[in-house]
């Protein structure tokens, strides 16, 4: 096995794991959008997928979950669905990719690299899909926020929502998923369809077969 292929495989798995963790943070954090107003300089508001929070200057944060699903804005409902789907697909891709790398051996006998190539290819495809689905809600919410921020029909005294830190976590997760998918698919292309002996345990009893010259001394009787 080429060491470069092993390195690409490991990088793909690590990027996939990091992307899934960033997607989890994006889904759970409440700083998708932030709002501060001059009328209440000591407080700022945060909007997330599952709750809204009020942050005071003293460090006190009060969060409240949404009362009704149907009362949510359409972009929040869409982001909920796509982010949950992204996490599920990203986890499936990670579970396919881990047993597909060369350093992970699930069998004790010789097997073809074709099975591992298939697992890695599926993992890379799922990572690609997770990256695209993860970028869509974050970019859509950011696009609507920009349009509303520069909307001239709204008076300038009305406070406007701005980007929160969670949006950048979402963009990071999507890009990491795409990079992980590219690395996993690239490692599959480099591999050749050939037999490869994987590391396996050696039975102790088989290694202790004695040759005739090393056999224990025979007991003979002399008459």
């Amino acid at each position: 096995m080429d060491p470069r292929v092993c390195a690409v495989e490991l990088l793909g798995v690590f990027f996939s794991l990091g992307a899934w963790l960033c997607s989890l943070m994006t889904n759970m954090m409440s700083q998708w959008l932030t709002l501060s107003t001059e009328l209440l300089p000591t407080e700022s508001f945060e909007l997330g997928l599952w709750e809204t929070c009020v942050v005071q200057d003293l460090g006190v944060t009060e969060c409240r979950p949404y009362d009704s699903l149907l009362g949510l804005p359409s972009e929040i409902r869409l982001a909920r669905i796509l982010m949950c789907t992204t996490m599920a697909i990203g986890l499936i891709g990670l579970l396919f990719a881990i047993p597909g790398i060369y350093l992970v051996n699930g069998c004790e006998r010789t097997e073809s690299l074709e099975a591992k190539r298939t697992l890695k290819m599926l993992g890379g495809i799922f990572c690609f899909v997770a990256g695209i689905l993860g970028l869509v809600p974050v970019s859509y919410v950011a696009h609507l926020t920009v349009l509303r921020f520069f909307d001239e029909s709204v008076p300038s005294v009305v406070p406007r929502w701005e980007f929160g830190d969670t949006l950048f976590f979402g963009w990071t997760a999507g890009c990491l998923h795409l990079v992980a998918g590219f690395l996993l698919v690239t490692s599959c292309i480099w591999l050749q369809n050939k037999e490869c002996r994987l590391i396996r345990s050696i039975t102790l009893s088989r290694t202790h077969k004695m040759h005739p010259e090393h056999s224990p001394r025979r007991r003979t009787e002399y008459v």
Side-chain angles (χ1 to χ4, degrees):
M1 172 63 68
D2 191 344
R4 294 175 298 178
V5 177
C6 293
V8 172
E9 290 176 345
L10 291 177
L11 284 176
V13 172
F14 288 149
F15 276 117
S16 178
L17 178 60
W20 190 85
L21 293 177
C22 288
S23 298
L24 178 63
M25 295 177 63
T26 304
N27 196 12
M28 301 305 297
M29 291 176 64
S30 60
Q31 291 112 2
W32 277 65
L33 299 175
T34 60
L35 184 145
S36 58
T37 174
E38 296 179 355
L39 299 177
L40 295 173
T42 60
E43 292 182 349
S44 61
F45 301 90
E46 296 176 350
L47 178 68
L49 298 182
W50 309 98
E51 60 186 4
T52 56
C53 298
V54 178
V55 182
Q56 300 178 358
D57 287 345
L58 299 178
V60 180
T61 303
E62 297 181 2
C63 297
R64 181 179 178 182
Y66 296 115
D67 297 330
S68 174
L69 177 62
L70 299 178
L72 293 176
S74 59
E75 63 269 18
I76 298 298
R77 284 180 289 175
L78 178 64
R80 275 188 179 186
I81 296 172
L82 292 181
M83 285 307 302
C84 292
T85 306
T86 299
M87 291 183 58
I89 295 178
L91 182 59
I92 293 174
L94 183 61
L95 293 178
F96 274 122
I98 290 177
I101 63 177
Y102 176 74
L103 296 179
V104 176
N105 181 17
C107 300
E108 293 185 356
R109 62 169 181 255
T110 304
E111 67 174 10
S112 174
L113 287 178
E114 189 64 30
K116 287 185 172 292
R117 289 183 60 187
T118 302
L119 289 175
K120 282 191 300 180
M121 184 65 72
L122 290 175
I125 293 173
F126 277 112
C127 286
F128 270 123
V129 175
I132 295 174
L133 290 179
L135 289 175
V136 168
V138 178
S139 301
Y140 181 63
V141 171
H143 172 70
L144 293 180
T145 303
V146 172
L147 291 180
R148 293 166 182 171
F149 187 87
F150 294 102
D151 189 2
E152 297 180 355
S153 62
V154 179
S156 58
V157 295
V158 177
R160 291 171 169 82
W161 292 99
E162 299 180 8
F163 290 172
D165 296 336
T166 307
L167 292 181
F168 299 98
F169 277 105
W171 281 317
T172 303
C175 293
L176 288 179
H177 266 135
L178 293 178
V179 173
F182 174 77
L183 291 176
L184 291 174
V185 173
T186 302
S187 66
C188 294
I189 297 175
W190 282 0
L191 283 179
Q192 296 179 359
N193 188 17
K194 62 181 179 179
E195 296 292 332
C196 179
R197 289 192 174 273
L198 302 178
I199 302 172
R200 60 176 181 176
S201 60
I202 301 176
T203 307
L204 186 61
S205 61
R206 295 180 180 177
T207 60
H208 286 273
K209 289 184 177 180
M210 297 293 184
H211 296 285
E213 60 271 18
H214 297 292
S215 61
R217 188 186 305 172
R218 299 178 182 177
R219 283 191 265 175
T220 60
E221 296 181 0
Y222 296 92
V223 179

